[in-house]
Structures are given as C-alpha cells and as structure tokens.
Amino acid sequence: MSELRERIRETIEREPVIAFVKGTHEQAYCGNSERAMQALRAVGAPFATVDVLPDPAIRQELSALSNWPTIPQVFVGGELIGGADIVQELAASGELEAKLDEKLGGGWRNGGEERTVSLSDRENPLRIVP
C-alpha cells in the first residue's frame, strides 16, 4: 500500500464524517461536491473535507481504496456512504441521520463543525487567496 493510500485510509478511519471533494468546506469547485456538503449541513452533521484537486494522486489512491470512481465520496464512521446523489437522497429520506446515529451515536447532533484536512504538500492552484 502506498504511503498516500495509507494516509487516506487513516483519515477515513480517524474522521467521523469525511468528504473527499473538489475544493474545501469553505469553497467547492464542483456542483456535486457542493451538493454533498449541503446534504451534510442540512442534517447538521459535523464534517471534515479533503480537497482532491491539489494532487491527482489523492483521487487515484482514494478510488483504488474505495472502489468508487467519482468525486465526491462521503464516509461516515469509516464506511463509504456514496456521492452527491446518494447523500442527498439519504438526507431527504431521513436515512442519513439514522446512519449518523448508528455509526456515531447521538453526540454528532451537538456538532456542526466543518474543517478541511490536508493530505498533500502541494498547493491548490485554484484556491483563491485574499
């Protein structure tokens, strides 16, 4: 297993809710990434993001690990939940909250914190710097 794939695996295991997106929790660079994050926000889930844009190897290694070819990818309690469409459907049906309860217990409802985790030393050339 590559060092990067191992860091991805550790991040998935460590973070209660992690979304691999194009962009960050503050600025999505893809409509599907934004939709996945909005679904998490709609249920009040705290989550971390990993921006796959700075290093193409992140996306390659993630897809090899998860067997899911597209971005975004949302994991809850170490389990791949799906991409934007699936996460939106789960949020709309109430199943996302049930999955969060199952994997994280009721404490997640007190959260709401959002942050971005870096897996690469590369800068994102698309990030807007004030």
Side-chain angles (χ1 to χ4, degrees):
M1 184 177 294
S2 75
E3 180 183 328
L4 177 58
R5 191 178 304 179
E6 181 62 22
R7 286 197 322 255
I8 292 168
R9 187 192 61 73
E10 289 171 357
T11 302
I12 291 168
E13 290 176 0
R14 181 180 65 248
E15 297 294 335
V17 181
I18 185 83
F20 290 83
V21 298
K22 294 177 182 175
T24 68
H25 71 281
E26 296 170 323
Q27 177 65 52
Y29 291 114
C30 161
N32 288 331
S33 293
E34 180 64 28
R35 288 188 311 120
M37 291 188 289
Q38 288 300 334
L40 292 168
R41 290 177 182 125
V43 299
F47 65 93
T49 60
V50 171
D51 184 359
V52 301
L53 292 175
D55 186 349
I58 296 173
R59 184 175 181 163
Q60 293 167 346
E61 293 293 334
L62 174 63
S63 292
L65 188 66
S66 68
N67 293 316
W68 189 270
T70 59
I71 300 295
Q73 293 185 27
V74 177
F75 293 80
V76 174
E79 177 186 342
L80 176 64
I81 301 302
D85 291 340
I86 293 171
V87 174
Q88 277 190 311
E89 290 170 13
L90 292 173
S93 70
E95 293 175 74
L96 182 56
E97 289 178 88
K99 180 60 77 175
L100 289 160
D101 284 339
E102 172 193 332
K103 293 288 189 176
L104 309 179
W108 69 269
R109 294 178 186 272
N110 300 329
E113 176 191 25
E114 299 176 16
R115 61 193 176 82
T116 297
V117 176
S118 178
L119 294 178
S120 175
D121 296 329
R122 294 184 185 181
E123 288 285 326
N124 182 348
L126 301 175
R127 185 164 291 128
I128 299 170
V129 180

